[in-house]
Amino acid sequence: MLPVFGHLNPDTDAITSALVYARLLTRQGTEARAYRLGELNFETPYVLREAGLDAPELLPELAAGSRVALVDHNESAQSVPNLADLTVTHVVDHHKLGDLSTAAPAYLRFEPVGCTGTILLKLHREANVSVEPVDAKLMLSAILSDTLHFRSPTTTQADRDAVDFLAPIAGVGDVETYALAMFAAKSDLGDTPAETLLKMDYKVFPFGDVAAPQRWGLGVVETTNPAYVFGRQAELLAAMASAKTQDGLDGILLSVVDILNETNRTLVPGEVEAAVVQAVFGADTTGNVADLGARISRKKQIVPALETHFAL
Ligand SMILES: [Mn+2]
């Protein structure tokens, strides 16, 4: 049984892509099963309920040498702690290539599209495998989630075509209404502890010198209600300071992305971060907040800029 899983602090694409790819592999003769590497965000339970599915189980600890398939990530910092001891047999991903290495030839499918779900649809169609309604619902949801219903600059024509193809199979007549319901679920944060909010969509990236990289924690809260998040600014800044110490980071940022207005105002806890944000994005930090304008994609507009900065 081949375990299939997405990244730590899973988002909707990380969960649904594991489910869809596990089923596709199984239908193609490789028995596979989806797992998750952490707690769900607030959007994914809505999607799973709509699809009539339970969440995948947490990945148990795997023995060295175990075969695994990765979806929606490839960097070790975003995967299981013992990834280097495992045998990666498949990767389907739409992120930049990181430190992935494999002991034996692996099936690798990377495309610069907006969502892993878009690639998974291509895999179905290339293999002439029918797309089941439940899988269509999962892939459709992931694409709407990752691209913020095509608002993100990561969106490609392939993502739009995939949604057009999937919506009727999934039985989603009004894609806009469905996407807004997903975003509303995601924004309904209640009294979630600040530490949880910080880490809900959070990735650690090594930048600069490969031998001695700077490690930055980059969190994102995508919401239709940014005022709620800024109402908890003091708690979040405190959570960022302790995460920075606990995780041994060189810097930490939390971007609050207003989905409907397509803007990014980022929490900046200290002078180190403020100097980098000024140098990289030309943005001043006032009251621990920097206005990063329309840079709403961590993958396309935040990480590459920081990578270039620290490579110099
Ligand atoms: Mn993704």
Side-chain angles (χ1 to χ4, degrees), residues 7 11 13-14 72 93-95 114-116 146 299:
H7 52 80
D11 60 7
D13 191 26
D72 200 35
D93 191 14
H94 68 130
H95 293 86
C115 180
T116 305
D146 264 13
K299 183 191 281 107

